[in-house]
Amino acid sequence: MVASNSAVVLIVEDEPLIRFNILDVLEEVGHVALEAANADEALVVLKGRQDVDILFTDVNMAGSMDGLQLANRVRAMRPNIGIIITSGMVRLDPMALPANTAFLPKPYMHDTLISTINSLMT
């Protein structure tokens, strides 16, 4: 699968192997992939980069906040950013999420992640 529009995607995942795998997959299809191991690192990246189109975050991770808290903070800071939340531990009702937010339960297929990014970019 190829990205329909190139996006700048910030991957927030505390498991390095998963984070690196997603980074490789997104770059292979033409996206610019940035990475952070937790919410605190993600906020530093977002302060330094105004061009982030998509936040892709896991729910459960160490640090001062989890992925849901990060998503809420980012939504307040940047209402137009697309947000994808993923988890293998919790299930979120997609209908209860704010506009321009998607939930991907783990495990997910890379094609599903790419198509979700594409849908949030249109």
Side-chain angles (χ1 to χ4, degrees):
M1 179 171 256
V2 176
S4 59
N5 295 325
S6 179
V8 177
V9 181
L10 174 55
I11 304 160
V12 188
E13 168 65 58
D14 61 348
E15 179 56 51
L17 293 177
I18 295 172
R19 190 172 66 244
F20 299 148
N21 177 260
I22 296 166
L23 187 125
D24 287 344
V25 167
L26 295 183
E27 287 179 343
E28 282 177 16
V29 298
H31 292 305
V32 175
L34 309 172
E35 61 181 297
N38 57 47
D40 299 316
E41 287 182 16
L43 291 172
V44 170
V45 171
L46 287 167
K47 285 179 184 170
R49 302 274 312 237
Q50 296 300 312
D51 61 342
V52 175
D53 300 304
I54 304 285
L55 171 73
F56 177 54
T57 184
D58 191 13
V59 171
N60 296 60
M61 60 187 157
S64 66
M65 65 183 87
D66 66 19
L68 293 174
Q69 293 166 317
L70 173 63
N72 287 328
R73 172 91 53 96
V74 170
R75 176 60 69 225
M77 290 170 35
R78 297 200 194 165
N80 296 327
I81 198 168
I83 298 174
I84 303 171
I85 302 169
T86 188
S87 179
M89 308 284 270
V90 299
R91 295 287 185 251
L92 301 177
D93 179 0
M95 300 306 289
L97 298 174
N100 211 26
T101 302
F103 176 70
L104 285 182
K106 287 182 180 178
Y108 51 84
M109 301 296 292
H110 291 148
D111 286 351
T112 304
L113 173 58
I114 294 164
S115 65
T116 302
I117 291 169
N118 290 342
S119 71
L120 290 173
M121 291 295 293
T122 58

